[in-house]
Amino acid sequence: MRTTIKLTAAVAAAAALTLGLAACSAPSDTSSGSEKKGKDADPSAELVVAASPTPHGDILNFVRDNLAAKAGLKLKVRDFNDYVLPNTATQNGEVDANFFQHKPYLDDFNKKNKTDIVPVVNVEIEPLGLYSKKDKKVSDLGSGSTIAVPNDATNEGRALKLLADNGVIKLKDGVGAEAKLSDVEDKKGVKFTELEAAQIPSRLADVDAAVINGNFAIGAKLNPAKDSLVLEKAEGNPYANFLAVKKGNESDPRIQKLAGLLNSDEVKKFIQQKFSGAVIPAFGPAKS
């Protein structure tokens, strides 16, 4: 009987201790600084941003090396060489933000993947260009020519519009940058090869011409301003590339600091000097 009482007392004491420890460690409304989001995020915590290496990574590295410390920002840049992983990493919290895309692409990505990533601030435009190692001018392209275009919906539509605007093909009436191959009313004998945008520069020699995104053109040592047969117009261009975050993190003080730095005079001067017109500053608030 005494042993039973002692054991019962011991169990009760242990239970009380467990409850006490649980109470001490129970989650509360106040998270640790590194777990806080939005305006409550720790402003001294490292900010990790996913980016395409060029020009996005180049711009972020300039900010990190020349402006961030003075602004009290700890910035880390993670390079990605595709158009999917930066968004998935932002959505799942692997990174805090990304900088690589334009609004039509993000809208399409959010819709297809049920993600809620939002733009914060516009930074620059990389005009889409048509390139060739075989032909010297657009009029050289015609029946029998093969043209490579990006295979993602937004950039393919943008590529087809560029070709239509320059007389290479004819689109159905009323179709613009959302065009699909099925919207090409008259191919004028041209054949299309659909490829991932990042792969197109390395395949340029295999086709007669290719429509290449500005960042991948630069990465392949092509200067859009000098080497393209035709180039998108920058004025009124809806394809500004922006800093983006998961919805709810727009007010993170670190994001706000980075947004200000990305729209600074120093970054404008860097873009103009570094890319010589191949990348064009396009500062201002980004539309959600």
Side-chain angles (χ1 to χ4, degrees):
M1 184 70 173
R2 184 175 299 171
T3 301
T4 303
I5 293 172
K6 285 182 177 178
L7 286 173
T8 303
V11 170
L17 179 61
T18 301
L19 288 171
L21 290 173
C24 291
S25 59
S28 67
D29 292 335
T30 305
S31 322
S32 64
S34 61
E35 295 175 342
K36 293 178 182 177
K37 301 296 183 183
K39 64 182 177 58
D40 296 320
D42 181 358
S44 66
E46 182 177 68
L47 184 71
V48 184
V49 183
S52 299
T54 302
H56 312 90
D58 294 329
I59 295 169
L60 287 169
N61 288 335
F62 172 79
V63 171
R64 180 196 62 202
D65 297 341
N66 298 278
L67 307 174
K70 186 176 180 180
L73 178 66
K74 295 178 183 177
L75 179 62
K76 180 177 180 179
V77 183
R78 284 190 56 187
D79 288 343
F80 287 81
N81 284 300
D82 67 74
Y83 283 170
V84 175
L85 291 177
N87 274 337
T88 57
T90 302
Q91 181 70 24
N92 66 29
E94 183 183 339
V95 300
D96 299 298
N98 67 56
F99 173 35
F100 77 100
Q101 65 193 322
H102 51 61
K103 189 66 164 50
Y105 178 81
L106 176 60
D107 288 345
D108 183 66
F109 186 94
N110 278 335
K111 182 178 179 180
K112 289 181 177 177
N113 296 279
K114 299 186 180 355
T115 47
D116 57 349
I117 297 166
V118 295
V120 178
V121 65
N122 289 331
V123 181
E124 47 81 17
I125 289 173
E126 304 146 32
L128 201 71
L130 177 67
Y131 300 83
S132 176
K133 289 190 174 182
K134 300 176 181 178
D135 297 313
K136 300 297 183 184
K137 54 187 183 296
V138 179
S139 58
D140 292 337
L141 295 169
S143 183
S145 297
T146 300
I147 301 176
V149 294
N151 65 2
D152 62 277
T154 54
N155 284 307
E156 183 169 81
R158 190 179 170 190
L160 293 174
K161 184 177 185 302
L162 176 67
L163 294 173
D165 287 347
N166 288 277
V168 180
I169 59 173
K170 186 178 186 304
L171 294 174
K172 296 176 182 176
D173 289 342
V175 177
E178 296 180 354
K180 309 179 190 66
L181 285 179
S182 58
D183 294 318
V184 180
E185 186 173 81
D186 185 359
K187 293 183 179 179
K188 299 185 179 181
V190 170
K191 298 177 183 178
F192 291 103
T193 297
E194 297 175 281
L195 298 168
E196 288 187 14
Q199 296 178 356
I200 295 179
S202 64
R203 298 285 299 277
L204 181 56
D206 301 330
V207 294
D208 294 293
V211 180
I212 303 177
N213 291 71
N215 59 314
F216 292 130
I218 296 166
K221 309 301 183 187
L222 294 168
N223 186 320
K226 297 178 180 179
D227 299 325
S228 63
L229 300 183
V230 292
L231 196 64
E232 268 183 332
K233 293 180 173 62
E235 186 177 349
N237 194 311
Y239 296 100
N241 284 206
F242 45 67
L243 179 68
V245 298
K246 185 176 181 179
K247 189 174 182 179
N249 294 337
E250 306 95 307
S251 58
D252 183 325
R254 301 168 301 161
I255 294 295
Q256 292 302 309
K257 282 183 182 178
L258 179 57
L261 295 176
L262 286 171
N263 273 196
S264 65
D265 289 340
E266 292 90 341
V267 166
K268 182 177 182 180
K269 184 177 180 180
F270 170 77
I271 291 173
Q272 291 171 333
Q273 293 182 343
K274 171 76 174 177
F275 301 109
S276 304
V279 178
I280 303 167
F283 295 170
K287 295 181 179 179
S288 298

